[in-house]
């Protein structure tokens, strides 16, 4: 993965508008197109005082779930302008409704499974304690090695 990647969007190209257009295409494919007013609401800056109407919110959430689950998870760099990849290029200072809804859906979608029970929980906690003990022993070994090599008191 390239940690220092250049944005696939040109200067002046609005990422939120691109995301809304991708969502509009998905809505057209689903048979319930977005109106121009819906698109403007989604592009608008997020504000708790001016929420997205509940019908549009639920429709958008379902469409975003479909888009995110349809994108290839194992090949994230293939389409740099995909819906999920577009989220990383959003301007942090202008948090629009489409970004807020997408972040909410993505965080719900990627939550871990059910909590561990029984033997799985015991095994997980035993491994955690074992790793902690190994880290402490490694720190002691490094301290002894430094003392032997440099003779620090």
């Amino acid at each position: 993965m390239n940690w220092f990647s250049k944005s696939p969007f040109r200067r002046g190209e609005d990422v939120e508008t691109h995301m809304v257009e991708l969502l509009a295409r998905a809505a057209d494919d689903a048979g319930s197109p977005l109106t121009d007013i819906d698109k403007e609401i989604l592009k608008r800056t997020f504000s708790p005082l001016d929420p997205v109407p509940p019908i549009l919110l639920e429709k958008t959430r379902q469409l975003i779930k479909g888009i995110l689950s349809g994108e290839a998870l194992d090949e994230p760099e293939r389409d740099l302008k995909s819906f999920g990849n577009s989220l990383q290029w959003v301007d942090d200072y202008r948090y629009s409704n489409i970004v807020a809804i997408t972040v909410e859906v993505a965080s719900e979608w990627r939550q871990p499974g059910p909590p561990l029970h029984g033997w799985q929980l015991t095994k997980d906690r035993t491994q955690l304690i074992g790793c902690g003990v190994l880290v402490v022993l490694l720190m002691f070994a490094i301290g002894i090695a430094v003392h032997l090599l440099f003779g620090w008191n």
Side-chain angles (χ1 to χ4, degrees):
M1 179 176 181
N2 187 1
W3 292 101
F4 300 104
S5 56
K6 185 177 176 185
S7 172
F9 296 94
R10 293 187 197 107
R11 184 177 298 254
E13 189 176 3
D14 190 24
V15 179
E16 287 93 352
T17 302
H18 176 73
M19 290 176 73
V20 169
E21 291 304 317
L22 290 175
L23 188 70
R25 267 191 249 142
D28 289 342
D29 292 344
S32 58
L34 295 176
T35 65
D36 291 336
I37 296 171
D38 292 342
K39 292 177 186 179
E40 289 303 316
I41 290 172
L42 292 172
K43 290 179 197 177
R44 201 169 39 201
T45 303
F46 173 75
S47 171
L49 301 175
D50 186 20
V52 176
I55 296 171
L56 177 60
L57 180 64
E58 189 55 36
K59 178 180 177 180
T60 304
R61 289 173 56 82
Q62 294 304 319
L63 288 170
I64 291 172
K65 283 179 187 177
I67 291 171
L68 291 177
S69 64
E71 289 181 352
L73 296 176
D74 56 343
E75 298 177 12
E77 295 181 1
R78 176 164 284 184
D79 183 12
L80 296 177
K81 286 189 171 183
S82 69
F83 193 83
N85 285 339
S86 296
L87 193 59
Q88 71 179 329
W89 301 109
V90 172
D91 186 11
D92 292 334
Y93 301 107
R94 188 175 160 264
Y95 199 66
S96 63
N97 287 325
I98 185 74
V99 175
I101 297 169
T102 304
V103 167
E104 181 182 330
V105 169
S107 65
E108 288 174 1
W109 187 52
R110 298 186 192 273
Q111 285 183 351
L116 299 175
H117 295 288
W119 176 247
Q120 290 177 336
L121 179 63
T122 305
K123 181 180 171 186
D124 185 54
R125 292 207 175 151
T126 303
Q127 287 176 345
L128 181 64
I129 292 169
C131 287
V133 169
L134 286 176
V135 166
V136 170
L137 291 175
L138 180 65
M139 288 178 3
F140 278 130
I142 290 172
I144 291 171
V146 166
H147 178 72
L148 291 174
L149 286 175
F150 299 109
W152 291 347
N153 292 326

